[in-house]
Amino acid sequence: MSSQSESVRHPQRRGVSPASLVCRICGIIILLLVIFSAAALTVPRTLGYKVFHVVSGSMEPEIPVGSVAYVEGVAPEELKTDDIIAFNSEGSVIIHRVVTNFLVEGKFTTKGDANDKEDMSEVPYAQVIGRVVYHLPFLGQMLMIYSSNMGRIYVLCFAACGALLNILAGRLRPFEE
């Protein structure tokens, strides 16, 4: 009689169903993708870096198109030859390598790695944003998504799908036992 009462108190558990497992794994992957992509774009900003999306191939292969470049503010006088800088030029942000820093004149000669010649116009110190300290390929597309209102809605919906899949996996468990 005691063996029968023990089996009632401790019913045998069956393994997790494939549906619950798939929901749980997919939900976690979706949430991690949203968290890591958002962190890669927002955490550097809180640390004082500016984040830019690379849209031209002038710095390839060093910085591929679609990359995100992290730029730290630095005094133009501290920049050296071969530093990669970001600067304003005619309403756009350009990321090129320093060829020469003319300290007395307060300007730079720059060149894109993929370009044959130096840039036609010199860059005054006033247009310098800072030095590129790091870049991540492919995250530029995420930056474009996160910077538009429709993109933010999509990201929120994507995160909600991940959360709902985890909730669904939890709801499927009682039916399995």
Side-chain angles (χ1 to χ4, degrees):
M1 183 150 156
S2 67
S3 65
Q4 195 177 30
S5 63
E6 283 183 28
S7 66
V8 172
R9 276 189 252 154
H10 302 290
Q12 287 185 342
R13 288 190 164 194
R14 296 186 322 195
V16 177
S17 79
S20 175
L21 186 62
V22 167
C23 286
R24 177 81 59 198
I25 290 171
C26 289
I28 289 171
I29 289 171
I30 289 171
L31 289 172
L32 287 175
L33 283 172
V34 171
I35 290 167
F36 285 130
S37 65
L41 299 173
T42 56
V43 170
R45 287 182 179 160
T46 61
L47 298 174
Y49 294 99
K50 294 185 180 180
V51 182
F52 297 101
H53 176 213
V54 178
V55 295
S56 84
S58 66
M59 284 301 294
E60 287 188 333
E62 178 72 22
I63 304 176
V65 173
S67 296
V68 168
Y70 300 100
V71 178
E72 70 175 345
V74 63
E77 299 83 17
E78 295 177 20
L79 295 169
K80 300 175 184 77
T81 300
D82 288 333
D83 282 345
I84 299 173
I85 63 170
F87 58 92
N88 291 307
S89 176
E90 299 176 10
S92 297
V93 174
I94 309 291
I95 295 176
H96 279 178
R97 193 174 300 274
V98 173
V99 175
T100 310
N101 185 349
F102 299 104
L103 292 168
V104 176
E105 294 89 352
K107 59 186 175 182
F108 294 101
T109 303
T110 57
K111 177 185 176 295
D113 288 358
N115 298 344
D116 293 332
K117 298 179 181 179
E118 295 175 353
D119 296 339
M120 291 174 37
S121 57
E122 294 173 328
V123 179
Y125 280 4
Q127 292 178 341
V128 174
I129 298 168
R131 175 183 14 223
V132 175
V133 291
Y134 199 71
H135 56 87
L136 292 173
F138 310 114
L139 268 184
Q141 300 304 333
M142 292 305 296
L143 179 63
M144 296 300 290
I145 291 170
Y146 283 111
S147 64
S148 72
N149 288 334
M150 188 57 76
R152 289 182 188 129
I153 291 170
Y154 285 140
V155 170
L156 285 173
C157 290
F158 196 55
C161 287
L164 288 173
L165 282 169
N166 278 306
I167 291 170
L168 179 60
R171 297 276 181 175
L172 289 174
R173 277 205 109 150
F175 295 114
E176 299 165 1
E177 294 176 354

